[in-house]
Amino acid sequence: MQTALVLGGGGARGAAHIGVLQALCAADLKFDIVTGTSAGSLVGGFFAAGFTPQEIKHISSMVNWDLFPVRWVSLLSNLLKSSFKATSTPAITTDSIVSTKKLERLLKRYLGNTKIKNLPRNFATVAVDLHTGETVVFSREKLPDRTAPVLTDVKLWEAMRSSMAIPVVFSPTSFPPWLLTDGGIKENLPVDLAAELGAEKVIAVDVGPPLPPLQPINFIQIGLRALDIMAEERSEWSTDIPVEVIRPDVTAIGGLDFNRLDEAIEAGYQAGLEYLRQLP
């Protein structure tokens, strides 16, 4: 039986995927297929490339806000220029709040030129085209039943980076004719994608917690809140294959809480252990 591991999006909460993997792999569970969106594409991509959960955890220890420098100079420059223009439309040209150059260097350091089509484990991830709103799939295998574009001859790190391009926070990626942003906008828990790849059973990890009470927040958090609301709608599936869902308790961790990745990993580990305890 072809078993798939499906990892959903959730920003920093996605570190819980690492803990789940630690528990499941220690119990010798095997996965033929991996799909992931946004944060799930990062963890899933490394796993599909042959990295162990412990190795992925080590890489995650390098992820913090130092990896995402805010573009203060560019943002302030844009705003100042806008204030002197006689127009009602601000002339803001910066495409994101933070730079992802350090993150991209980190991904390239570990993944190099590895292409999705050459991965040892079947893998797919999704992004969304800002021009058309359609889903673009990066996949090791071709998907003849998909009407949306499916790209196979692509570097793994570029596909992962595209899927986790949180709007406004991270810049979109360019794959002409597509301009790609976070896949969670349309397919946050890609169970149906796993079924298309031949999965007969799915273990899905959903790190999109129930929405907490809304507190006074800034404009970045407003955008993330909107994405969380959309993600709730985009975490359903239509396939009738068996799907078992693991939901780590990451309610208290925000999507940009990169200083709390260890907490998310531990929450995932505990959720993985609880899943194993319930197996017949």
Side-chain angles (χ1 to χ4, degrees):
M1 175 180 286
Q2 292 271 301
T3 302
L5 178 68
V6 175
L7 306 177
R13 296 186 295 261
H17 295 315
I18 301 171
V20 173
L21 271 176
Q22 286 180 306
L24 301 190
C25 289
D28 204 30
L29 269 66
K30 305 295 184 184
F31 299 100
D32 308 288
I33 297 164
V34 181
T35 64
T37 297
S38 197
S41 77
L42 291 178
V43 177
F46 276 113
F47 186 57
F51 287 77
T52 67
Q54 194 59 37
E55 288 170 335
I56 301 171
K57 182 178 180 180
H58 171 71
I59 295 169
S60 77
S61 70
M62 305 177 199
V63 177
N64 53 55
W65 271 111
D66 291 336
L67 201 65
F68 306 110
V70 179
R71 294 172 161 172
W72 292 118
V73 174
S74 181
L75 288 167
L76 289 173
S77 174
N78 281 181
L79 291 172
L80 286 172
K81 287 177 182 178
S82 299
S83 66
F84 290 105
K85 288 182 176 290
T87 175
S88 59
T89 304
I92 297 177
T93 57
T94 303
D95 60 6
S96 65
I97 293 170
V98 302
S99 170
T100 56
K101 288 182 179 179
K102 288 185 178 181
L103 172 65
E104 290 167 7
R105 284 198 293 268
L106 179 67
L107 294 176
K108 284 187 277 189
R109 184 198 314 170
Y110 285 97
L111 298 172
N113 294 320
T114 300
K115 292 193 173 183
I116 284 187
K117 66 180 182 179
N118 297 325
L119 289 175
R121 182 179 277 113
N122 205 346
F123 174 72
T125 185
V126 295
V128 174
D129 179 33
L130 286 170
H131 293 301
T132 64
E134 69 179 343
T135 300
V136 174
V137 179
F138 298 93
S139 175
R140 194 188 77 169
E141 307 293 337
K142 295 181 179 179
L143 301 170
D145 295 334
R146 275 254 171 178
T147 56
V150 178
L151 308 181
T152 59
D153 192 20
V154 174
K155 293 176 184 176
L156 175 60
W157 76 264
E158 292 179 321
M160 293 157 64
R161 166 67 180 85
S162 298
S163 184
M164 51 79 66
I166 301 171
V168 181
V169 180
F170 302 142
S171 61
T173 60
S174 179
F175 279 86
W178 305 289
L179 184 64
L180 302 178
T181 192
D182 198 294
I185 293 173
K186 295 199 70 174
E187 202 164 344
N188 196 54
L189 195 64
V191 170
D192 287 326
L193 180 57
E196 291 178 60
L197 288 170
E200 299 165 279
K201 174 186 175 181
V202 166
I203 298 175
V205 185
D206 185 358
V207 293
L211 295 176
L214 190 62
Q215 303 293 333
I217 51 178
N218 59 43
F219 73 98
I220 299 175
Q221 291 167 316
I222 291 171
L224 290 174
R225 177 72 166 208
L227 285 175
D228 282 342
I229 293 170
M230 284 190 289
E232 282 195 320
E233 295 290 323
R234 302 295 185 263
S235 295
E236 300 176 353
W237 55 87
S238 60
T239 182
D240 57 2
I241 64 174
V243 179
E244 299 171 353
V245 183
I246 299 173
R247 292 188 171 90
D249 182 7
V250 288
T251 305
I253 300 174
L256 296 181
D257 283 345
F258 295 114
N259 60 326
R260 303 180 67 183
L261 298 187
D262 286 343
E263 292 178 54
I265 292 171
E266 179 61 22
Y269 182 68
Q270 294 302 324
L273 292 179
E274 180 60 27
Y275 168 79
L276 292 171
R277 283 192 287 268
Q278 294 179 10
L279 291 179

